[in-house]
PDB file of all heavy atoms in Angstrom:
ATOM      1  N   PHE A 205      95.623-172.495  -9.286  1.00  0.00           N
ATOM      2  CA  PHE A 205      96.843-173.137  -8.780  1.00  0.00           C
ATOM      3  C   PHE A 205      97.299-172.423  -7.520  1.00  0.00           C
ATOM      4  O   PHE A 205      97.457-171.197  -7.508  1.00  0.00           O
ATOM      5  CB  PHE A 205      97.953-173.092  -9.836  1.00  0.00           C
ATOM      6  CG  PHE A 205      99.050-174.100  -9.607  1.00  0.00           C
ATOM      7  CD1 PHE A 205      99.053-175.303 -10.278  1.00  0.00           C
ATOM      8  CD2 PHE A 205     100.069-173.845  -8.698  1.00  0.00           C
ATOM      9  CE1 PHE A 205     100.051-176.239 -10.073  1.00  0.00           C
ATOM     10  CE2 PHE A 205     101.070-174.768  -8.485  1.00  0.00           C
ATOM     11  CZ  PHE A 205     101.064-175.968  -9.173  1.00  0.00           C
ATOM     12  N   VAL A 206      97.524-173.209  -6.449  1.00  0.00           N
ATOM     13  CA  VAL A 206      98.032-172.682  -5.184  1.00  0.00           C
ATOM     14  C   VAL A 206      99.469-173.144  -5.037  1.00  0.00           C
ATOM     15  O   VAL A 206      99.736-174.353  -5.014  1.00  0.00           O
ATOM     16  CB  VAL A 206      97.182-173.160  -3.989  1.00  0.00           C
ATOM     17  CG1 VAL A 206      97.735-172.600  -2.681  1.00  0.00           C
ATOM     18  CG2 VAL A 206      95.728-172.744  -4.173  1.00  0.00           C
ATOM     19  N   HIS A 207     100.392-172.212  -4.930  1.00  0.00           N
ATOM     20  CA  HIS A 207     101.815-172.535  -4.952  1.00  0.00           C
ATOM     21  C   HIS A 207     102.489-172.029  -3.683  1.00  0.00           C
ATOM     22  O   HIS A 207     102.378-170.855  -3.333  1.00  0.00           O
ATOM     23  CB  HIS A 207     102.456-171.889  -6.181  1.00  0.00           C
ATOM     24  CG  HIS A 207     103.910-172.143  -6.319  1.00  0.00           C
ATOM     25  ND1 HIS A 207     104.814-171.182  -6.709  1.00  0.00           N
ATOM     26  CD2 HIS A 207     104.656-173.274  -6.104  1.00  0.00           C
ATOM     27  CE1 HIS A 207     106.026-171.687  -6.736  1.00  0.00           C
ATOM     28  NE2 HIS A 207     105.949-172.961  -6.370  1.00  0.00           N
ATOM     29  N   TYR A 208     103.193-172.933  -2.984  1.00  0.00           N
ATOM     30  CA  TYR A 208     103.927-172.580  -1.769  1.00  0.00           C
ATOM     31  C   TYR A 208     105.407-172.870  -1.964  1.00  0.00           C
ATOM     32  O   TYR A 208     105.781-173.812  -2.666  1.00  0.00           O
ATOM     33  CB  TYR A 208     103.428-173.392  -0.574  1.00  0.00           C
ATOM     34  CG  TYR A 208     101.987-173.151  -0.204  1.00  0.00           C
ATOM     35  CD1 TYR A 208     101.044-174.182  -0.302  1.00  0.00           C
ATOM     36  CD2 TYR A 208     101.560-171.917   0.259  1.00  0.00           C
ATOM     37  CE1 TYR A 208      99.719-173.977   0.054  1.00  0.00           C
ATOM     38  CE2 TYR A 208     100.243-171.705   0.616  1.00  0.00           C
ATOM     39  CZ  TYR A 208      99.320-172.737   0.507  1.00  0.00           C
ATOM     40  OH  TYR A 208      98.013-172.533   0.862  1.00  0.00           O
ATOM     41  N   ALA A 209     106.244-172.095  -1.288  1.00  0.00           N
ATOM     42  CA  ALA A 209     107.677-172.377  -1.286  1.00  0.00           C
ATOM     43  C   ALA A 209     107.985-173.571  -0.406  1.00  0.00           C
ATOM     44  O   ALA A 209     108.854-174.397  -0.712  1.00  0.00           O
ATOM     45  CB  ALA A 209     108.459-171.154  -0.820  1.00  0.00           C
ATOM     46  N   THR A 210     107.280-173.689   0.712  1.00  0.00           N
ATOM     47  CA  THR A 210     107.469-174.806   1.641  1.00  0.00           C
ATOM     48  C   THR A 210     106.118-175.389   2.010  1.00  0.00           C
ATOM     49  O   THR A 210     105.079-174.755   1.808  1.00  0.00           O
ATOM     50  CB  THR A 210     108.191-174.351   2.926  1.00  0.00           C
ATOM     51  OG1 THR A 210     107.374-173.355   3.592  1.00  0.00           O
ATOM     52  CG2 THR A 210     109.558-173.754   2.610  1.00  0.00           C
ATOM     53  N   GLY A 211     106.150-176.594   2.562  1.00  0.00           N
ATOM     54  CA  GLY A 211     104.888-177.206   2.975  1.00  0.00           C
ATOM     55  C   GLY A 211     104.877-178.722   2.893  1.00  0.00           C
ATOM     56  O   GLY A 211     104.053-179.385   3.513  1.00  0.00           O
ATOM     57  N   GLY A 212     105.808-179.289   2.099  1.00  0.00           N
ATOM     58  CA  GLY A 212     105.876-180.739   2.033  1.00  0.00           C
ATOM     59  C   GLY A 212     104.947-181.326   0.994  1.00  0.00           C
ATOM     60  O   GLY A 212     104.512-180.656   0.051  1.00  0.00           O
ATOM     61  N   HIS A 213     104.612-182.586   1.179  1.00  0.00           N
ATOM     62  CA  HIS A 213     103.921-183.387   0.168  1.00  0.00           C
ATOM     63  C   HIS A 213     102.455-183.612   0.519  1.00  0.00           C
ATOM     64  O   HIS A 213     102.128-184.018   1.634  1.00  0.00           O
ATOM     65  CB  HIS A 213     104.623-184.737   0.041  1.00  0.00           C
ATOM     66  CG  HIS A 213     104.092-185.615  -1.051  1.00  0.00           C
ATOM     67  ND1 HIS A 213     104.205-185.303  -2.390  1.00  0.00           N
ATOM     68  CD2 HIS A 213     103.434-186.804  -0.999  1.00  0.00           C
ATOM     69  CE1 HIS A 213     103.656-186.258  -3.122  1.00  0.00           C
ATOM     70  NE2 HIS A 213     103.180-187.180  -2.300  1.00  0.00           N
ATOM     71  N   GLY A 214     101.578-183.370  -0.427  1.00  0.00           N
ATOM     72  CA  GLY A 214     100.172-183.710  -0.283  1.00  0.00           C
ATOM     73  C   GLY A 214      99.506-183.058   0.910  1.00  0.00           C
ATOM     74  O   GLY A 214      99.665-181.854   1.167  1.00  0.00           O
ATOM     75  N   SER A 215      98.771-183.859   1.665  1.00  0.00           N
ATOM     76  CA  SER A 215      98.044-183.338   2.822  1.00  0.00           C
ATOM     77  C   SER A 215      98.968-182.874   3.936  1.00  0.00           C
ATOM     78  O   SER A 215      98.511-182.202   4.870  1.00  0.00           O
ATOM     79  CB  SER A 215      97.076-184.404   3.353  1.00  0.00           C
ATOM     80  OG  SER A 215      97.772-185.598   3.680  1.00  0.00           O
ATOM     81  N   ASP A 216     100.262-183.188   3.859  1.00  0.00           N
ATOM     82  CA  ASP A 216     101.209-182.662   4.841  1.00  0.00           C
ATOM     83  C   ASP A 216     101.253-181.138   4.789  1.00  0.00           C
ATOM     84  O   ASP A 216     101.655-180.490   5.763  1.00  0.00           O
ATOM     85  CB  ASP A 216     102.613-183.222   4.593  1.00  0.00           C
ATOM     86  CG  ASP A 216     102.697-184.729   4.793  1.00  0.00           C
ATOM     87  OD1 ASP A 216     101.714-185.315   5.289  1.00  0.00           O
ATOM     88  OD2 ASP A 216     103.736-185.321   4.441  1.00  0.00           O
ATOM     89  N   MET A 217     100.867-180.554   3.664  1.00  0.00           N
ATOM     90  CA  MET A 217     100.862-179.095   3.545  1.00  0.00           C
ATOM     91  C   MET A 217      99.932-178.431   4.556  1.00  0.00           C
ATOM     92  O   MET A 217     100.128-177.269   4.920  1.00  0.00           O
ATOM     93  CB  MET A 217     100.473-178.678   2.123  1.00  0.00           C
ATOM     94  CG  MET A 217     101.551-178.928   1.078  1.00  0.00           C
ATOM     95  SD  MET A 217     101.142-178.207  -0.550  1.00  0.00           S
ATOM     96  CE  MET A 217      99.874-179.335  -1.118  1.00  0.00           C
ATOM     97  N   PHE A 218      98.910-179.152   5.028  1.00  0.00           N
ATOM     98  CA  PHE A 218      97.968-178.564   5.982  1.00  0.00           C
ATOM     99  C   PHE A 218      98.649-178.134   7.272  1.00  0.00           C
ATOM    100  O   PHE A 218      98.256-177.148   7.899  1.00  0.00           O
ATOM    101  CB  PHE A 218      96.846-179.550   6.308  1.00  0.00           C
ATOM    102  CG  PHE A 218      95.943-179.865   5.145  1.00  0.00           C
ATOM    103  CD1 PHE A 218      95.434-181.142   4.982  1.00  0.00           C
ATOM    104  CD2 PHE A 218      95.596-178.891   4.221  1.00  0.00           C
ATOM    105  CE1 PHE A 218      94.593-181.444   3.923  1.00  0.00           C
ATOM    106  CE2 PHE A 218      94.754-179.176   3.147  1.00  0.00           C
ATOM    107  CZ  PHE A 218      94.256-180.456   3.010  1.00  0.00           C
ATOM    108  N   ALA A 219      99.665-178.878   7.705  1.00  0.00           N
ATOM    109  CA  ALA A 219     100.346-178.551   8.957  1.00  0.00           C
ATOM    110  C   ALA A 219     101.105-177.234   8.847  1.00  0.00           C
ATOM    111  O   ALA A 219     101.208-176.472   9.817  1.00  0.00           O
ATOM    112  CB  ALA A 219     101.304-179.681   9.349  1.00  0.00           C
ATOM    113  N   VAL A 220     101.646-176.961   7.687  1.00  0.00           N
ATOM    114  CA  VAL A 220     102.416-175.730   7.464  1.00  0.00           C
ATOM    115  C   VAL A 220     101.504-174.597   7.007  1.00  0.00           C
ATOM    116  O   VAL A 220     101.723-173.431   7.346  1.00  0.00           O
ATOM    117  CB  VAL A 220     103.525-175.977   6.417  1.00  0.00           C
ATOM    118  CG1 VAL A 220     104.374-174.731   6.210  1.00  0.00           C
ATOM    119  CG2 VAL A 220     104.409-177.154   6.847  1.00  0.00           C
ATOM    120  N   HIS A 221     100.482-174.947   6.234  1.00  0.00           N
ATOM    121  CA  HIS A 221      99.564-173.945   5.687  1.00  0.00           C
ATOM    122  C   HIS A 221      98.115-174.337   6.022  1.00  0.00           C
ATOM    123  O   HIS A 221      97.367-174.806   5.151  1.00  0.00           O
ATOM    124  CB  HIS A 221      99.740-173.836   4.178  1.00  0.00           C
ATOM    125  CG  HIS A 221     101.113-173.437   3.755  1.00  0.00           C
ATOM    126  ND1 HIS A 221     101.573-172.147   3.863  1.00  0.00           N
ATOM    127  CD2 HIS A 221     102.145-174.165   3.258  1.00  0.00           C
ATOM    128  CE1 HIS A 221     102.822-172.078   3.443  1.00  0.00           C
ATOM    129  NE2 HIS A 221     103.197-173.289   3.074  1.00  0.00           N
ATOM    130  N   PRO A 222      97.699-174.151   7.276  1.00  0.00           N
ATOM    131  CA  PRO A 222      96.325-174.523   7.639  1.00  0.00           C
ATOM    132  C   PRO A 222      95.284-173.760   6.837  1.00  0.00           C
ATOM    133  O   PRO A 222      94.145-174.221   6.700  1.00  0.00           O
ATOM    134  CB  PRO A 222      96.254-174.182   9.136  1.00  0.00           C
ATOM    135  CG  PRO A 222      97.388-173.230   9.384  1.00  0.00           C
ATOM    136  CD  PRO A 222      98.452-173.609   8.418  1.00  0.00           C
ATOM    137  N   GLU A 223      95.670-172.591   6.297  1.00  0.00           N
ATOM    138  CA  GLU A 223      94.723-171.819   5.491  1.00  0.00           C
ATOM    139  C   GLU A 223      94.351-172.535   4.200  1.00  0.00           C
ATOM    140  O   GLU A 223      93.338-172.207   3.558  1.00  0.00           O
ATOM    141  CB  GLU A 223      95.299-170.444   5.176  1.00  0.00           C
ATOM    142  CG  GLU A 223      96.376-170.398   4.102  1.00  0.00           C
ATOM    143  CD  GLU A 223      97.764-170.813   4.588  1.00  0.00           C
ATOM    144  OE1 GLU A 223      97.903-171.172   5.785  1.00  0.00           O
ATOM    145  OE2 GLU A 223      98.709-170.796   3.771  1.00  0.00           O
ATOM    146  N   LEU A 224      95.148-173.534   3.803  1.00  0.00           N
ATOM    147  CA  LEU A 224      94.840-174.276   2.582  1.00  0.00           C
ATOM    148  C   LEU A 224      93.501-174.989   2.707  1.00  0.00           C
ATOM    149  O   LEU A 224      92.772-175.126   1.717  1.00  0.00           O
ATOM    150  CB  LEU A 224      95.965-175.279   2.276  1.00  0.00           C
ATOM    151  CG  LEU A 224      95.775-176.169   1.045  1.00  0.00           C
ATOM    152  CD1 LEU A 224      95.578-175.336  -0.223  1.00  0.00           C
ATOM    153  CD2 LEU A 224      96.966-177.120   0.877  1.00  0.00           C
ATOM    154  N   ARG A 225      93.179-175.428   3.920  1.00  0.00           N
ATOM    155  CA  ARG A 225      91.859-176.060   4.105  1.00  0.00           C
ATOM    156  C   ARG A 225      90.752-175.069   3.759  1.00  0.00           C
ATOM    157  O   ARG A 225      89.768-175.417   3.105  1.00  0.00           O
ATOM    158  CB  ARG A 225      91.705-176.547   5.542  1.00  0.00           C
ATOM    159  CG  ARG A 225      92.630-177.689   5.944  1.00  0.00           C
ATOM    160  CD  ARG A 225      92.202-178.251   7.296  1.00  0.00           C
ATOM    161  NE  ARG A 225      93.098-179.291   7.772  1.00  0.00           N
ATOM    162  CZ  ARG A 225      94.122-179.074   8.591  1.00  0.00           C
ATOM    163  NH1 ARG A 225      94.377-177.831   9.013  1.00  0.00           N
ATOM    164  NH2 ARG A 225      94.890-180.073   8.984  1.00  0.00           N
ATOM    165  N   GLY A 226      90.911-173.823   4.197  1.00  0.00           N
ATOM    166  CA  GLY A 226      89.911-172.811   3.884  1.00  0.00           C
ATOM    167  C   GLY A 226      89.817-172.535   2.399  1.00  0.00           C
ATOM    168  O   GLY A 226      88.723-172.313   1.861  1.00  0.00           O
ATOM    169  N   VAL A 227      90.957-172.563   1.714  1.00  0.00           N
ATOM    170  CA  VAL A 227      90.964-172.375   0.264  1.00  0.00           C
ATOM    171  C   VAL A 227      90.164-173.485  -0.410  1.00  0.00           C
ATOM    172  O   VAL A 227      89.379-173.239  -1.330  1.00  0.00           O
ATOM    173  CB  VAL A 227      92.411-172.351  -0.273  1.00  0.00           C
ATOM    174  CG1 VAL A 227      92.431-172.355  -1.800  1.00  0.00           C
ATOM    175  CG2 VAL A 227      93.163-171.137   0.267  1.00  0.00           C
ATOM    176  N   ILE A 228      90.367-174.722   0.069  1.00  0.00           N
ATOM    177  CA  ILE A 228      89.659-175.863  -0.516  1.00  0.00           C
ATOM    178  C   ILE A 228      88.163-175.787  -0.219  1.00  0.00           C
ATOM    179  O   ILE A 228      87.322-176.053  -1.094  1.00  0.00           O
ATOM    180  CB  ILE A 228      90.259-177.186   0.010  1.00  0.00           C
ATOM    181  CG1 ILE A 228      91.702-177.336  -0.503  1.00  0.00           C
ATOM    182  CG2 ILE A 228      89.413-178.374  -0.428  1.00  0.00           C
ATOM    183  CD1 ILE A 228      92.451-178.512   0.094  1.00  0.00           C
ATOM    184  N   VAL A 229      87.806-175.401   1.017  1.00  0.00           N
ATOM    185  CA  VAL A 229      86.390-175.252   1.359  1.00  0.00           C
ATOM    186  C   VAL A 229      85.748-174.211   0.461  1.00  0.00           C
ATOM    187  O   VAL A 229      84.663-174.435  -0.113  1.00  0.00           O
ATOM    188  CB  VAL A 229      86.226-174.875   2.844  1.00  0.00           C
ATOM    189  CG1 VAL A 229      84.763-174.518   3.142  1.00  0.00           C
ATOM    190  CG2 VAL A 229      86.669-176.017   3.754  1.00  0.00           C
ATOM    191  N   ASP A 230      86.390-173.060   0.307  1.00  0.00           N
ATOM    192  CA  ASP A 230      85.841-172.004  -0.559  1.00  0.00           C
ATOM    193  C   ASP A 230      85.699-172.491  -2.004  1.00  0.00           C
ATOM    194  O   ASP A 230      84.716-172.155  -2.691  1.00  0.00           O
ATOM    195  CB  ASP A 230      86.751-170.777  -0.525  1.00  0.00           C
ATOM    196  CG  ASP A 230      86.705-170.043   0.803  1.00  0.00           C
ATOM    197  OD1 ASP A 230      85.771-170.289   1.586  1.00  0.00           O
ATOM    198  OD2 ASP A 230      87.618-169.229   1.063  1.00  0.00           O
ATOM    199  N   TRP A 231      86.673-173.278  -2.449  1.00  0.00           N
ATOM    200  CA  TRP A 231      86.631-173.816  -3.818  1.00  0.00           C
ATOM    201  C   TRP A 231      85.420-174.714  -4.018  1.00  0.00           C
ATOM    202  O   TRP A 231      84.669-174.560  -5.003  1.00  0.00           O
ATOM    203  CB  TRP A 231      87.915-174.579  -4.108  1.00  0.00           C
ATOM    204  CG  TRP A 231      87.933-175.292  -5.429  1.00  0.00           C
ATOM    205  CD1 TRP A 231      87.690-176.613  -5.660  1.00  0.00           C
ATOM    206  CD2 TRP A 231      88.203-174.702  -6.711  1.00  0.00           C
ATOM    207  NE1 TRP A 231      87.805-176.885  -7.008  1.00  0.00           N
ATOM    208  CE2 TRP A 231      88.116-175.738  -7.674  1.00  0.00           C
ATOM    209  CE3 TRP A 231      88.517-173.418  -7.128  1.00  0.00           C
ATOM    210  CZ2 TRP A 231      88.331-175.515  -9.026  1.00  0.00           C
ATOM    211  CZ3 TRP A 231      88.727-173.191  -8.487  1.00  0.00           C
ATOM    212  CH2 TRP A 231      88.636-174.237  -9.410  1.00  0.00           C
ATOM    213  N   TYR A 232      85.205-175.636  -3.083  1.00  0.00           N
ATOM    214  CA  TYR A 232      84.072-176.552  -3.223  1.00  0.00           C
ATOM    215  C   TYR A 232      82.740-175.825  -3.027  1.00  0.00           C
ATOM    216  O   TYR A 232      81.747-176.157  -3.699  1.00  0.00           O
ATOM    217  CB  TYR A 232      84.194-177.702  -2.230  1.00  0.00           C
ATOM    218  CG  TYR A 232      85.113-178.820  -2.685  1.00  0.00           C
ATOM    219  CD1 TYR A 232      86.035-179.379  -1.808  1.00  0.00           C
ATOM    220  CD2 TYR A 232      85.042-179.334  -3.970  1.00  0.00           C
ATOM    221  CE1 TYR A 232      86.872-180.416  -2.209  1.00  0.00           C
ATOM    222  CE2 TYR A 232      85.871-180.362  -4.378  1.00  0.00           C
ATOM    223  CZ  TYR A 232      86.785-180.902  -3.498  1.00  0.00           C
ATOM    224  OH  TYR A 232      87.610-181.928  -3.903  1.00  0.00           O
ATOM    225  N   VAL A 233      82.685-174.854  -2.131  1.00  0.00           N
ATOM    226  CA  VAL A 233      81.450-174.076  -1.968  1.00  0.00           C
ATOM    227  C   VAL A 233      81.107-173.367  -3.278  1.00  0.00           C
ATOM    228  O   VAL A 233      79.947-173.341  -3.715  1.00  0.00           O
ATOM    229  CB  VAL A 233      81.594-173.070  -0.812  1.00  0.00           C
ATOM    230  CG1 VAL A 233      80.442-172.062  -0.832  1.00  0.00           C
ATOM    231  CG2 VAL A 233      81.618-173.796   0.538  1.00  0.00           C
ATOM    232  N   THR A 234      82.126-172.813  -3.919  1.00  0.00           N
ATOM    233  CA  THR A 234      81.900-172.116  -5.195  1.00  0.00           C
ATOM    234  C   THR A 234      81.488-173.074  -6.295  1.00  0.00           C
ATOM    235  O   THR A 234      80.497-172.842  -7.000  1.00  0.00           O
ATOM    236  CB  THR A 234      83.179-171.369  -5.623  1.00  0.00           C
ATOM    237  OG1 THR A 234      83.488-170.367  -4.658  1.00  0.00           O
ATOM    238  CG2 THR A 234      82.994-170.723  -6.990  1.00  0.00           C
ATOM    239  N   THR A 235      82.235-174.176  -6.441  1.00  0.00           N
ATOM    240  CA  THR A 235      82.041-175.057  -7.600  1.00  0.00           C
ATOM    241  C   THR A 235      80.978-176.138  -7.393  1.00  0.00           C
ATOM    242  O   THR A 235      80.632-176.837  -8.353  1.00  0.00           O
ATOM    243  CB  THR A 235      83.367-175.731  -7.991  1.00  0.00           C
ATOM    244  OG1 THR A 235      83.879-176.467  -6.861  1.00  0.00           O
ATOM    245  CG2 THR A 235      84.395-174.682  -8.399  1.00  0.00           C
ATOM    246  N   LEU A 236      80.478-176.266  -6.171  1.00  0.00           N
ATOM    247  CA  LEU A 236      79.448-177.274  -5.920  1.00  0.00           C
ATOM    248  C   LEU A 236      78.137-176.684  -5.407  1.00  0.00           C
ATOM    249  O   LEU A 236      77.080-177.288  -5.605  1.00  0.00           O
ATOM    250  CB  LEU A 236      79.953-178.313  -4.913  1.00  0.00           C
ATOM    251  CG  LEU A 236      81.157-179.159  -5.333  1.00  0.00           C
ATOM    252  CD1 LEU A 236      81.554-180.110  -4.205  1.00  0.00           C
ATOM    253  CD2 LEU A 236      80.895-179.933  -6.615  1.00  0.00           C
ATOM    254  N   ILE A 237      78.188-175.518  -4.753  1.00  0.00           N
ATOM    255  CA  ILE A 237      76.972-174.922  -4.182  1.00  0.00           C
ATOM    256  C   ILE A 237      76.563-173.664  -4.944  1.00  0.00           C
ATOM    257  O   ILE A 237      75.450-173.569  -5.458  1.00  0.00           O
ATOM    258  CB  ILE A 237      77.161-174.606  -2.682  1.00  0.00           C
ATOM    259  CG1 ILE A 237      77.379-175.891  -1.876  1.00  0.00           C
ATOM    260  CG2 ILE A 237      75.940-173.859  -2.144  1.00  0.00           C
ATOM    261  CD1 ILE A 237      77.625-175.670  -0.392  1.00  0.00           C
TER     262      ILE A 237
END
Side-chain angles (χ1 to χ4, degrees):
F205 199 98
V206 180
H207 180 221
Y208 297 116
T210 61
H213 185 66
S215 57
D216 296 351
M217 287 188 286
F218 294 143
V220 182
H221 300 284
E223 76 280 1
L224 178 57
R225 293 191 184 94
V227 172
I228 294 173
V229 172
D230 290 344
W231 174 261
Y232 278 135
V233 168
T234 297
T235 58
L236 297 178
I237 296 178

